Amino acid sequence: MFSDIKAGDTTPTHNHSSVRDWIVGDACTIHYTVMEQQHNAQESPTKPSEYDPDINQDELIKAQEKQIAEEIKANTAMIGSLDDLSTLEQEYSNDPVYSGKVKTLLPKYCNVRRTRPDGNCFLRGFIFAYLEYCIHHRDELARFKKYLEGSKEELFEMGFPKFTTEDFHDMFMEVVSDLEGSGSVDRVEAVCNDGGTSDYLVVYLRLLISSHLQKNAEFFSFFIEGGRTVEEFCKQEVEPMYRECDHLHIVALTAAVGVGVRVMYLDRGEGAAVASHDFPEDSTPVIHLLYRPGHYDILYNKA
Amino acid sequence: MTVVMSKHSGTASARLRADYMRIKRDPVPYVTAEPLPSNILEWHYVVEGPEESPYEGGYYHGKLVFPMEYPFRPPSIYMITPSGRFKTNTRLCLSISDFHPDTWNPAWSVATILTGLLSFMLEKSPTFGSIETTDYEKRQLSQQSLSFNLKDKVFTELFPEITEAIQNKLAQREQELAERAKALENGNPSERDASTNDSRKQNPDAAQMSALTNLLVVVGFAVFAWTVRYIVSTLSEEEG
């Protein structure tokens, strides 16, 4: 569940260009994460070394996960402050591969904003970066508002529960309307760091992704591993909170909302440069995100 | 921070209040639910055993305990009244409960949870917190559930209407017993016959069932005898 912080550098490299390759890579990430979690659970000091049938093992794992989640919550803001990109360089001062790659980012990017690694990092990063972009591009904010208005009926048509879907939708509409009036980056920061509000926005994006995947199920079914249907995939990997976003999620979200995203992949992959990928392909990105295995942060380009 | 939006404050209690309004307007069949007046994060529910199930006539009291992060994390689900289906006062492991936070969907509501609980109760599939009993045991527990719940103070306070319905049912049951006892004293042979069997007295359904079974056996035997006679006669005709 908190794979953001656990998936280490053993994740496969991302030097692929087709969607299918991305998916293969991500399935490994998921698998690795699960193994890692089990491994961690075994090492837990609260867990006896021998199997004890009287103790509910699930409970122990759950308690540990909760503890990790609490620690992350206490130590990391959902959307962090605007940091200089050199802070990233410092982070990897002892790591020649990473620091070499970060250096190649410096000519293009100037700042980084870190997000909370709770499995919602991509979505929170997307929401913040996009709303911030909208503050400076009012016509885009108007377009987005119109899209949001229409999206509710689409979700109802796809069979999402009316009462709760409406609740998440209304919250998003209120945030957008509020930004139309007194929009400022500070305001966006406050909204995105307010627990209730931020989580509501995240859920609504999850519903939009799920709806887009299910509407185009025939196409997306080719990219889903493990013999699951698109609907099952959505129930297990998209709609629940704290589930990490993979390439399918990003493909679906950027296509549904019509917003271009560039992801820079910082990992141990071959080559000195940082691989990048634009979603949807051939789009002009308005949001730049930094991917490190299992986690997304927001990047600011110099232009 | 003045981020709080007009009608959506984005907290668990705001959402639970909305869930409550919703459930009052659009009730879940067979289920009544009420939050504690002192704590909206703890809800109590009563499932009325649906017709044609082993729970028919029973009242099953339980509770939902919501986390502060609701609806982003699921509640714990407990059953308090013995049902023969679930352990009592134990967190139940359902896809809609906090045993499975990774399959919980924030778009689900209290209504979804209660509907899911009811359908799981009517199934037989095992899970953590479930127990296995025969239908007969379940029917006995459904009879006993009435007086069991009346002893629970939270139950009687939160569900006065159901409490009254139960009291009426129990009074009726008592009256029937008294009448039967009276008839017995008067030496009514048919009543005496019915009350000789203890289990029949406790469970009129079971008595009906066994009478029906007896009848079926007699009819079945008659049909069998008739068939044998028919075959024998046909055979002898052919031979002749």
Side-chain angles (χ1 to χ4, degrees):
Chain A
M1 182 164 49
F2 304 105
S3 44
D4 287 54
I5 50 153
K6 284 180 182 166
D9 286 344
T10 50
T11 34
T13 57
H14 294 278
N15 287 325
H16 326 283
S17 54
S18 77
V19 175
R20 193 173 181 87
D21 284 339
W22 293 119
I23 307 311
V24 173
D26 279 335
C28 297
T29 315
I30 294 166
H31 182 65
Y32 174 77
T33 308
V34 169
M35 286 173 44
E36 177 87 347
Q37 271 175 1
Q38 286 166 349
H39 181 67
N40 283 0
Q42 273 159 16
E43 279 182 355
S44 158
T46 55
K47 187 166 176 170
S49 52
E50 272 172 51
Y51 180 73
D52 182 348
D54 292 336
I55 293 178
N56 185 338
Q57 306 295 316
D58 287 343
E59 294 268 358
L60 290 178
I61 295 172
K62 214 179 82 83
Q64 199 201 7
E65 281 179 344
K66 199 175 173 190
Q67 191 194 335
I68 295 170
E70 295 294 328
E71 277 167 26
I72 292 172
K73 214 170 152 182
N75 296 330
T76 334
M78 285 186 271
I79 297 291
S81 56
L82 191 66
D83 292 337
D84 203 86
L85 200 59
S86 62
T87 57
L88 197 63
E89 212 183 346
Q90 284 154 20
E91 218 175 289
Y92 294 111
S93 54
N94 294 323
D95 188 325
V97 177
Y98 269 65
S99 65
K101 286 194 175 186
V102 171
K103 278 198 178 74
T104 69
L105 289 174
L106 292 172
K108 287 176 238 161
Y109 296 99
C110 49
N111 293 98
V112 60
R113 219 185 252 275
R114 290 173 176 80
T115 65
R116 179 183 291 173
D118 65 354
N120 291 319
C121 57
F122 171 81
L123 295 170
R124 282 198 223 281
F126 177 92
I127 292 165
F128 180 85
Y130 183 56
L131 292 180
E132 188 183 36
Y133 175 83
C134 286
I135 292 296
H136 305 299
H137 299 81
R138 292 296 167 141
D139 47 336
E140 179 65 17
L141 187 61
R143 186 196 72 80
F144 181 58
K145 192 181 177 189
K146 211 168 166 192
Y147 163 77
L148 267 188
E149 266 166 353
S151 66
K152 181 170 79 169
E153 286 303 322
E154 260 178 59
L155 291 179
F156 290 164
E157 276 167 34
M158 292 299 292
F160 287 92
K162 205 164 177 184
F163 147 65
T164 47
T165 304
E166 198 152 51
D167 206 27
F168 297 118
H169 171 266
D170 291 355
M171 177 70 104
F172 219 136
M173 286 304 287
E174 279 181 41
V175 167
V176 169
S177 303
D178 172 69
L179 290 178
E180 270 186 328
S182 58
S184 68
V185 176
D186 283 350
R187 184 78 185 148
V188 176
E189 218 177 314
V191 165
C192 289
N193 272 317
D194 177 67
T197 314
S198 184
D199 285 347
Y200 268 66
L201 305 187
V202 166
V203 171
Y204 197 66
L205 291 195
R206 287 183 179 279
L207 299 183
L208 291 178
I209 294 171
S210 171
S211 162
H212 185 85
L213 289 172
Q214 293 189 62
K215 245 190 289 179
N216 301 284
E218 211 175 313
F219 172 73
F220 286 111
S221 62
F222 293 107
F223 306 109
I224 289 171
E225 299 259 319
R228 291 180 286 184
T229 65
V230 173
E231 197 189 335
E232 283 165 348
F233 177 82
C234 288
K235 292 256 174 301
Q236 293 162 9
E237 306 293 343
V238 181
E239 291 169 19
M241 271 309 254
Y242 316 108
R243 294 305 265 184
E244 236 187 289
C245 279
D246 285 325
H247 299 272
L248 270 193
H249 303 70
I250 305 178
V251 168
L253 179 66
T254 52
V257 184
V259 176
V261 174
R262 174 168 293 170
V263 180
M264 305 298 291
Y265 293 89
L266 180 57
D267 55 25
R268 296 207 182 277
E270 278 172 40
V274 177
S276 78
H277 190 84
D278 290 349
F279 301 88
E281 278 178 57
D282 310 322
S283 67
T284 312
V286 300
I287 296 171
H288 296 255
L289 297 175
L290 174 69
Y291 174 86
R292 282 176 282 174
H295 183 63
Y296 294 88
D297 292 308
I298 305 166
L299 278 177
Y300 289 80
N301 63 351
K302 283 186 167 168
Chain B
M1 204 188 298
T2 53
V3 186
V4 176
M5 302 289 157
S6 55
K7 70 172 173 167
H8 303 273
S9 62
T11 60
S13 54
R15 168 57 195 269
L16 284 169
R17 273 195 294 276
D19 275 39
Y20 184 66
M21 308 253 275
R22 168 80 184 181
I23 216 165
K24 282 284 144 192
R25 203 172 56 215
D26 214 347
V28 176
Y30 303 106
V31 191
T32 314
E34 293 283 339
L36 287 183
S38 56
N39 178 12
I40 196 158
L41 294 177
E42 182 174 324
W43 288 44
H44 286 248
Y45 62 83
V46 182
V47 175
E48 291 183 42
E51 306 81 29
E52 288 168 27
S53 79
Y55 309 106
E56 183 170 356
Y59 292 84
Y60 304 92
H61 170 209
K63 66 178 177 180
L64 310 173
V65 180
F66 294 90
M68 289 295 285
E69 296 92 348
Y70 180 79
F72 307 106
R73 289 186 191 280
S76 319
I77 305 175
Y78 299 84
M79 189 66 99
I80 296 168
T81 312
S83 59
R85 177 73 174 107
F86 300 116
K87 282 185 197 162
T88 55
N89 302 306
T90 303
R91 273 174 51 228
L92 304 179
C93 169
L94 310 177
S95 64
I96 43 168
S97 77
D98 66 347
F99 266 92
H100 296 282
D102 44 353
T103 54
W104 164 256
N105 183 339
W108 291 341
S109 60
V110 173
T112 323
I113 298 162
L114 295 173
T115 310
L117 175 71
L118 177 66
S119 75
F120 193 80
M121 185 173 168
L122 296 175
E123 285 170 21
K124 289 210 156 89
S125 45
T127 184
F128 186 82
S130 72
I131 50 175
E132 265 184 58
T133 55
T134 62
D135 281 2
Y136 178 68
E137 286 169 294
K138 289 191 180 85
R139 273 196 288 270
Q140 281 195 315
L141 288 168
S142 93
Q143 298 281 311
Q144 292 160 11
S145 70
L146 279 69
S147 48
F148 179 92
N149 290 325
L150 290 188
K151 288 180 210 139
D152 191 309
K153 236 182 156 179
V154 180
F155 181 95
T156 53
E157 265 170 40
L158 283 180
F159 307 104
E161 281 169 25
I162 298 177
T163 302
E164 206 188 317
I166 290 178
Q167 282 164 340
N168 290 342
K169 270 194 181 184
L170 284 176
Q172 200 185 337
R173 219 191 263 175
E174 216 156 278
Q175 200 186 338
E176 276 170 20
L177 274 177
E179 274 169 22
R180 193 171 290 176
K182 209 173 164 191
L184 198 67
E185 270 173 27
N186 295 345
N188 186 323
S190 69
E191 288 290 337
R192 180 186 292 163
D193 191 41
S195 53
T196 45
N197 189 327
D198 244 14
S199 74
R200 283 188 193 180
K201 193 167 77 184
Q202 276 181 4
N203 195 327
D205 270 358
Q208 271 179 10
M209 278 300 287
S210 66
L212 194 68
T213 318
N214 286 345
L215 188 66
L216 281 177
V217 168
V218 170
V219 170
F221 191 75
V223 170
F224 177 72
W226 184 82
T227 316
V228 169
R229 221 180 105 188
Y230 175 78
I231 291 171
V232 167
S233 68
T234 351
L235 281 179
S236 54
E237 264 173 40
E238 272 173 21
E239 275 168 18

